Amino acid sequence: MSQEAQPKYPSPAMGWFTVAVLFVLYILSLTDRYIIALIGEPMKADLGLSDFQLSLLQGPAFALLYSLCAIPIGLALDRYGRRIVLFLSVTFWSVAATLCGLAPNYPILAATRAGVGLGEAGFTTGSYSVIGDSFPPERISLPMTLFVMGGVMGA
């Protein structure tokens, strides 16, 4: 293979910095995903939620938009550039998570929780892709392993 045909990768330091940032974001992603299970009872008392409403917040409110948006966001990752779509996904999920904490009632909490799902839909796929672009194929296993550990730690 000629020198010109070989793909260009960032420096190893930049590749590992990318993995480190995405690792921390993955921890936060899973924390945002599961935090309602930890604070469910205080939320029920504060907002006057029923057990059914709380169960909707823990499952369908998040999972519905996450599932519905995963394919269109995956297409956007290919079409518009991984870094920008990943940035927008993280920004959207972060704003939605903040608004969850400020929600004064159930409908707003359910909507912002769905927003977290929408934002997170592009994060994992986008992260895998960005990490894949940061290392040559023969060096990708360790960076991917470390990234995936962030999800385990967040859970």
Side-chain angles (χ1 to χ4, degrees):
M1 182 179 260
S2 71
Q3 187 73 346
E4 298 169 61
Q6 293 180 355
K8 304 264 188 216
Y9 296 100
S11 69
M14 183 55 73
W16 286 109
F17 177 73
T18 300
V19 171
V21 169
L22 294 174
F23 173 83
V24 170
L25 288 172
Y26 205 8
I27 291 172
L28 295 173
S29 167
L30 271 284
T31 301
D32 285 345
R33 192 175 302 180
Y34 296 125
I35 193 132
I36 287 188
L38 297 174
I39 61 171
E41 290 303 317
M43 276 180 34
K44 277 175 55 178
D46 187 47
L47 297 174
L49 303 176
S50 68
D51 288 338
F52 180 70
Q53 288 173 318
L54 185 61
S55 72
L56 291 177
L57 292 172
Q58 290 176 334
F62 173 88
L64 188 62
L65 255 81
Y66 186 95
S67 300
L68 291 175
C69 294
I71 292 174
I73 291 176
L75 293 170
L77 284 161
D78 288 337
R79 180 171 294 188
Y80 301 111
R82 294 167 179 96
R83 289 182 292 167
I84 189 68
V85 175
L86 185 59
F87 170 78
L88 292 173
S89 292
V90 171
T91 301
F92 193 87
W93 125 50
S94 299
V95 169
T98 301
L99 293 175
C100 281
L102 300 172
N105 55 44
Y106 177 75
I108 292 173
L109 182 58
T112 55
R113 183 77 175 141
V116 173
L118 188 152
E120 286 190 19
F123 174 70
T124 308
T125 305
S127 296
Y128 287 140
S129 184
V130 167
I131 292 170
D133 289 346
S134 299
F135 296 90
E138 65 274 6
R139 301 271 184 231
I140 199 68
S141 296
L142 181 60
M144 284 294 188
T145 300
L146 294 175
F147 170 70
V148 171
M149 286 174 46
V152 174
M153 292 179 71

